[in-house]
Amino acid sequence: MAIVGDFFRHNLTEFLQESPSAAPELHVLAVDDSLVDRKVIERLLKISSCKVTVVESGTRALQYLGLDGETSSLGFDSVKVNLIMTDYSMPGMTGYELLKKIKESSVFREIPVVIMSSENVLTRIDSCLEEGAEEFLLKPVKLSDVRRLKDFIMKGKVKEVEKKSLKRMLSIDCSPPLSATCSPISLPCDPSPSLLSPLSSKKARL
């Protein structure tokens, strides 16, 4: 059992080292109609080593995700968004309406959505959280907020990688090499007196 465990750990480490693509990467879609706020959140995310895509409206966000009713040119496998951060007050489509659209999607409903707002309105906060928002941040968003969110999302990404690695390891033949196995020793049916214990020899003489 120890041999199989060592084999598994060795191959898991080797798999992660040989597959740079297996390393988790956080891709954030940031949505805000304010150019200044978009630049601020983009800078904070890049400082935190995140990949960032910024759009200026909820409609553009839906287009990027392929949820605007048209066939997406990217597709879910190409988008791979891990977190959506959206402003609440935007013309055309509010952050709350965007949140509802995302949570109604069978493809993107599991992606965490964070709502940002400069207004501390309790009813607004409650509505967003009840609709499935991961968190409600008050502007200006701070670097500590972004890093906390990143740590939370990355923990989930690491677990996902571990599951994929485990699945691959289980598909590998983990049988120990033949040299490590011990074949049973077969004794002759009629053992010679030299193989008997002294007590058995004594009884035989009696």
Side-chain angles (χ1 to χ4, degrees), residues 150-206:
K150 180 185 176 182
D151 289 342
F152 172 76
I153 302 299
M154 291 300 282
K155 286 179 181 178
K157 289 288 289 176
V158 168
K159 289 181 180 179
E160 181 181 340
V161 170
E162 288 176 348
K163 287 181 180 179
K164 289 180 179 179
S165 301
L166 177 61
K167 186 176 180 180
R168 172 170 171 173
M169 290 305 100
L170 292 177
S171 67
I172 297 175
D173 183 10
C174 293
S175 301
L178 293 177
S179 59
T181 60
C182 297
S183 58
I185 300 175
S186 58
L187 294 175
C189 295
D190 185 18
S192 63
S194 61
L195 296 177
L196 298 175
S197 64
L199 181 59
S200 300
S201 301
K202 184 177 180 180
K203 287 183 178 180
R205 287 196 297 271
L206 294 176

Side-chain angles (χ1 to χ4, degrees), residues 10-120:
H10 170 74
N11 281 276
L12 176 59
T13 304
E14 187 179 68
F15 170 69
L16 292 174
Q17 289 175 344
E18 291 180 355
S19 305
S21 59
E25 181 185 24
L26 187 63
H27 181 195
V28 182
L29 175 61
V31 190
D32 204 310
D33 63 305
S34 167
L35 176 61
V36 174
D37 287 345
R38 284 202 306 274
K39 292 295 183 182
V40 169
I41 192 65
E42 182 179 14
R43 178 160 180 77
L44 291 176
L45 288 166
K46 287 185 175 180
I47 289 175
S48 302
S49 302
C50 296
K51 178 182 177 182
V52 191
T53 299
V54 292
V55 293
E56 70 278 7
S57 67
T59 302
R60 290 288 294 163
L62 292 180
Q63 289 175 350
Y64 181 77
L65 296 172
L67 296 178
D68 58 341
E70 299 178 5
T71 304
S72 174
S73 59
L74 292 173
F76 179 67
D77 290 337
S78 299
V79 174
K80 291 183 180 177
V81 173
N82 307 112
L83 173 66
I84 298 172
M85 300 182 69
T86 178
D87 182 35
Y88 183 92
S89 300
M90 296 185 293
M93 179 182 292
T94 66
Y96 176 73
E97 292 170 332
L98 175 60
L99 168 67
K100 290 184 67 175
K101 289 284 187 181
I102 293 170
K103 294 305 176 181
E104 288 170 359
S105 167
S106 60
V107 177
F108 295 100
R109 67 175 57 161
E110 298 301 324
I111 297 179
V113 179
V114 173
I115 306 294
M116 304 175 290
S117 178
S118 56
E119 299 174 295
N120 189 6

